[in-house]
């Protein structure tokens, strides 16, 4: 009888310690800000534009001000925070949006197993995955349209949108496959390109874009984040096979015969992310 009771107690203790270990691995955090983070939040509260703050219990944090919407500010603050994480650290949580605290007083935490730091075309598929999409263009026709556009900007009115190719690109990132690369994000009526550089990330925004059935993708009214105008920029997508793409940059200085490797990433690869 004593032996049976002893075994029962041992079993209960084992279950208790296993549950405790699991809970510890999951973890919780009473969300608090450091003095520096609190000062930043106070400064952001004075902004009339959309702002957000995201923090990790392990130190990294990120902010965003001047976003086009509250949702965009929150997503960008999280991405900026996650770009500073490392494997094994706890994930970031969105703390505030437009000066209002949106985080619960106590939140569940999780350790991340992989971190994506923009802009990395080699790491992006492992975090976001490639979109399972296909496309075949007409390179000769696309380049002819580009030549006509360079000769006469009014040719823009003759370019015919292709809803199918635009649907492939919208809400996804077009990237090359290099570690130090670029990510072009397409959404309805606008988009942006982030590129890795020696001094950080170069950011360019465009106010409109279109894609033709031949594979010409043009971004109009492009400007650097400094406000300096860039104008019209185009690329030609030769083909897409299960998210892997062949493309070229037409126009002076690029050489249309240079075929490059690209990919359609199923997510916003301009900012940090984790899994």
């Amino acid at each position: 009888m004593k032996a049976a009771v002893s075994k029962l107690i041992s079993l209960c203790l084992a279950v208790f310690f296993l549950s405790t270990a699991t809970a510890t691995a999951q973890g919780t955090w009473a969300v608090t800000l450091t003095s520096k983070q609190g000062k930043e939040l106070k400064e952001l509260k004075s902004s009339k534009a959309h702002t957000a703050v995201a923090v990790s219990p392990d130190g990294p944090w990120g902010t965003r001000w001047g976003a086009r919407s509250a949702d965009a500010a929150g997503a960008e603050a999280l991405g900026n925070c996650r770009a500073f994480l490392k494997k094994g650290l706890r994930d970031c949580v969105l703390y505030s949006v437009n000066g209002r605290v949106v985080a619960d007083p106590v939140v569940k935490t999780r350790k991340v197993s992989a971190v994506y730091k923009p802009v990395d075309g080699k790491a992006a598929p492992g975090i976001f995955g490639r979109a399972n999409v296909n496309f075949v263009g007409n390179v000769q026709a696309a380049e002819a349209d580009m030549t006509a556009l360079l000769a006469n900007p009014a040719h823009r009115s003759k370019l015919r949108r292709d809803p199918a190719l635009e649907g492939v690109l919208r809400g996804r990132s077009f990237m090359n496959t290099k570690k130090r690369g670029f990510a072009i994000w397409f959404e309805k009526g606008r988009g942006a390109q982030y590129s890795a550089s020696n001094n950080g990330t170069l950011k360019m925004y465009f106010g409109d874009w279109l894609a033709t059935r031949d594979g010409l993708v043009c971004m109009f009214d492009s400007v650097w984040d400094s406000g300096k105008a860039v104008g019209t920029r185009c690329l030609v997508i030769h083909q897409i096979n299960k998210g892997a793409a062949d493309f070229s940059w037409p126009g002076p200085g690029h050489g249309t015969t240079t075929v490059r490797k690209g990919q359609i990433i199923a997510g916003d690869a301009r900012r940090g992310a984790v899994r």
Side-chain angles (χ1 to χ4, degrees), residues 6 85 97:
S6 178
L85 289 176
V97 176

Side-chain angles (χ1 to χ4, degrees), residues 202-224:
L202 297 175
K203 301 177 182 179
M204 186 182 297
Y205 303 91
F206 45 93
D208 192 16
W209 66 280
L210 64 77
T212 72
R213 64 183 298 176
D214 295 320
L216 181 67
V217 181
C218 289
M219 296 150 277
F220 304 105
D221 309 319
S222 299
V223 295
W224 294 109

Side-chain angles (χ1 to χ4, degrees), residues 230-246:
V230 180
T232 298
R233 300 164 53 254
C234 301
L235 60 88
V236 174
I237 299 178
H238 299 210
Q239 64 175 0
I240 304 171
N241 182 18
K242 296 182 179 179
D246 292 332

Side-chain angles (χ1 to χ4, degrees), residues 72-132:
E76 292 177 36
L78 272 174
N80 292 337
C81 179
R82 285 168 172 161
F84 290 101
L85 289 176
K86 295 181 179 179
K87 179 181 178 180
L89 296 184
R90 288 170 290 181
D91 194 10
C92 302
V93 297
L94 184 61
Y95 180 77
S96 70
V97 176
N98 291 338
R100 182 175 64 87
V101 176
V102 296
D104 292 332
V106 178
V107 298
K108 290 183 178 181
T109 62
R110 70 179 183 94
K111 291 183 178 180
V112 301
S113 59
V115 178
Y116 168 80
K117 299 180 185 296
V119 178
D120 186 343
K122 286 188 176 181
I127 296 292
F128 302 100
R130 283 180 175 172
N132 187 19

Side-chain angles (χ1 to χ4, degrees), residues 4 13 21 25 33 47 52 58 85 89 92-93 100 104 107 112 139 141 143 147 150 157-159 165 223 226 243 252:
L13 287 173
L33 298 184
S47 173
D58 291 322
L85 289 176
L89 296 184
C92 302
V93 297
R100 182 175 64 87
D104 292 332
V107 298
V112 301
V139 178
E143 290 181 349
T147 299
L150 289 173
S157 63
K158 296 183 180 181
L159 299 177
L165 181 55
V223 295
S226 65

Side-chain angles (χ1 to χ4, degrees), residues 11-29:
L11 179 61
C12 290
L13 287 173
V15 171
F16 170 78
F17 285 120
L18 179 60
S19 300
T20 302
T22 302
T24 302
Q26 172 80 28
T28 57
W29 178 42

